[in-house]
Amino acid sequence: MLLQGFVVGALQANCYVVGDEASREVLVIDPGDQGPAVLEELARRELRVVAVLATHFHVDHSGAVHELLEGSPGAQFLMHAEDYPRIAVNAANVSEWYGHPVTVPRAPDRYLEHGDSIEIGEVTLGALHTPGHTPGSICVSAPGAVFTGDVLFQGSIGRTDFEGGSHEQLIGAIREHLFALPEETVVYPGHGPATTIGEEKRSNPFAGLGRA
């Protein structure tokens, strides 16, 4: 599996490129900013974007989706139906401090549901609906890895005091869907360094996540 990470924007969000080494087809997860720079780097590496996915509606994870789609003819846009309509409202509210206007992307070509498969060349990824940070937050499982957006971080969890947040839902989703993954699964969060499922089960201090 091909995997590359970029840190983008003033909020230092992690944008991930995941795909098939043989075909050079890739999925871009959470292009929150610096769309032209990401596209330039992908072109330099001769990678072809076949899909773009936003784990949730917050602008630091969705702000460059439009640019990635415009620069990748034929690429699909993937997102959960509950979060897509909120992008426009969020972009309008935060554009002043974000540093530049945000163009709202077109409607998704495919609305993801829990358990859906995403095929990128010969690599199969899975969608996990993990609400709590936002109503439509999606994590993406891959062979030996999971991309968690703002749901689970090294030693922390996503905020639940924003619009549509729910601490109870977030903890439930982490326990049911993320902590069910093998302990050696590498966690690639939306901000900060990678960790593992096992490490978070043992030591994450929030809401007793390590308790049975």
Side-chain angles (χ1 to χ4, degrees):
M1 182 179 74
L2 186 154
L3 171 59
Q4 176 67 51
F6 303 94
V7 179
V8 299
L11 296 183
Q12 297 288 279
N14 292 327
C15 170
Y16 298 103
V17 177
V18 188
D20 180 20
E21 190 80 54
S23 69
R24 312 299 285 173
E25 294 181 341
V26 296
L27 164 71
V28 180
I29 300 173
D30 283 353
D33 206 348
Q34 298 175 247
V38 173
L39 284 166
E40 182 178 344
E41 182 63 16
L42 296 180
R44 187 184 72 79
R45 299 184 185 205
E46 299 183 330
L47 301 176
R48 185 167 71 88
V49 179
V50 296
V52 179
L53 184 151
T55 60
H56 61 291
F57 71 84
H58 292 155
V59 71
D60 55 325
H61 295 263
S62 63
V65 168
H66 171 77
E67 293 168 322
L68 263 291
L69 293 171
E70 287 290 295
S72 308
Q76 287 199 322
F77 176 29
L78 314 176
M79 194 173 184
H80 195 277
E82 288 197 60
D83 265 28
Y84 172 69
R86 301 169 191 257
I87 291 181
V89 176
N90 186 237
N93 289 339
V94 305
S95 60
E96 183 174 338
W97 61 258
Y98 197 60
H100 58 81
V102 174
T103 300
V104 177
R106 68 172 191 255
D109 301 285
R110 180 182 175 193
Y111 287 110
L112 293 174
E113 298 287 349
H114 182 78
D116 283 352
S117 294
I118 305 164
E119 307 291 337
I120 307 295
E122 296 298 317
V123 176
T124 299
L125 310 173
L128 305 173
H129 182 211
T130 48
H133 180 62
T134 68
S137 284
I138 289 283
C139 293
V140 181
S141 64
V146 63
F147 302 88
T148 57
D150 283 357
V151 172
L152 180 66
F153 304 108
Q154 182 188 64
S156 190
I157 59 174
R159 291 178 61 171
T160 57
D161 57 334
F162 293 135
E163 173 201 353
S166 166
H167 182 81
E168 182 178 315
Q169 279 191 323
L170 183 66
I171 297 304
I174 291 171
R175 283 169 141 330
E176 182 177 0
H177 300 311
L178 299 183
F179 282 4
L181 298 171
E183 292 202 353
E184 65 271 19
T185 302
V186 180
V187 175
Y188 293 100
H191 301 269
T195 181
T196 67
I197 290 295
E199 180 62 27
E200 297 315 303
K201 287 174 74 172
R202 288 186 293 271
S203 64
N204 194 301
F206 287 86
L209 288 176
R211 296 199 296 267

